[in-house]
Amino acid sequence: MTGHRSPRRVVSLVPSLTEAVAACAPELLAGVTDWCSHPAGLDVPRIGGTKNPDVGGIAALAPDLVIANEEENRPQDLDALRAAGLTVLVTEVRTLDQAWGELARVLVAGCGLPRPEWLDAAETAWRELPLPAGERTAVVPVWRRPWMVLGRDTFAGDVLARLGVRNLYADHADRYPRIPLDALNSGAADLVVLPDEPYRFSAEDGPEAFPGLPAALVSGRYLTWYGPSLVRAPAVLAQALDGAR
């Protein structure tokens, strides 16, 4: 969006991008989804979920820019927003390297903001990450009833790989395959990684399904969000993973 007037009203359809904009210029946010939980106490209009945004409500807010993601938001909703005459910036984030570029595109090129110090700090934190002592293989469920796991080409899979944890289904044809529980338990995994989103796995809901595997309960925000949380994510995730041995 270089060469265009910087937006003064932004609607975010992505929780992690909401946090990223709020960390730099919260006054820009004119609307966010019901799932935008960070920063706490964000007092802006809510415009529905990531999968079912209120297109009419968004248009009524008259944003200069709507920021979205190709995985979190449905093409038909984004097309409807464009048909309403709105400018939609769609990100694709499937690796950490993509995250750095897309965050700069949203904040600097899209919103006209200075490059934030936290983005440099996040890149440094991941670049200076010590080499893992060894590699472990993990099953990484993201849903149950039915069981769904991380497959190929995912941001969370890349994050885990940099921490020495290889996703057992990284070469699966699907990005989020449905795998029966007995197959998950019979695979060659060393541990199970259980995030608290999108399904809220917990100590009481998840580990019991994998009786033969150590379980790492991790924050979904640190595993799957691309924004200011990336500064602390290496240390927080490494601690959780080290505890599952």
Side-chain angles (χ1 to χ4, degrees), residues 135-139 160 163-165 189-194 207 210 212-218 236-245:
E135 184 179 75
R136 290 183 289 170
T137 300
V139 170
L160 290 171
L163 294 166
V165 176
D190 302 307
L191 75 159
V192 58
V193 177
L194 297 167
F210 301 89
L213 293 177
L217 294 165
V218 302
V236 173
L237 292 172
Q239 183 177 27
L241 294 167
D242 285 346
R245 293 186 181 274

Side-chain angles (χ1 to χ4, degrees), residues 9-58:
R9 294 176 61 78
V10 175
V11 167
S12 172
L13 303 182
V14 186
S16 53
L17 295 179
T18 295
E19 184 180 24
V21 174
C24 302
E27 69 279 2
L28 289 183
L29 289 170
V32 300
T33 77
D34 298 339
W35 298 102
C36 293
S37 56
H38 287 76
L42 187 62
D43 185 19
V44 295
R46 301 287 168 160
I47 45 76
T50 57
K51 306 298 186 188
N52 58 345
D54 178 358
V55 173
I58 294 171

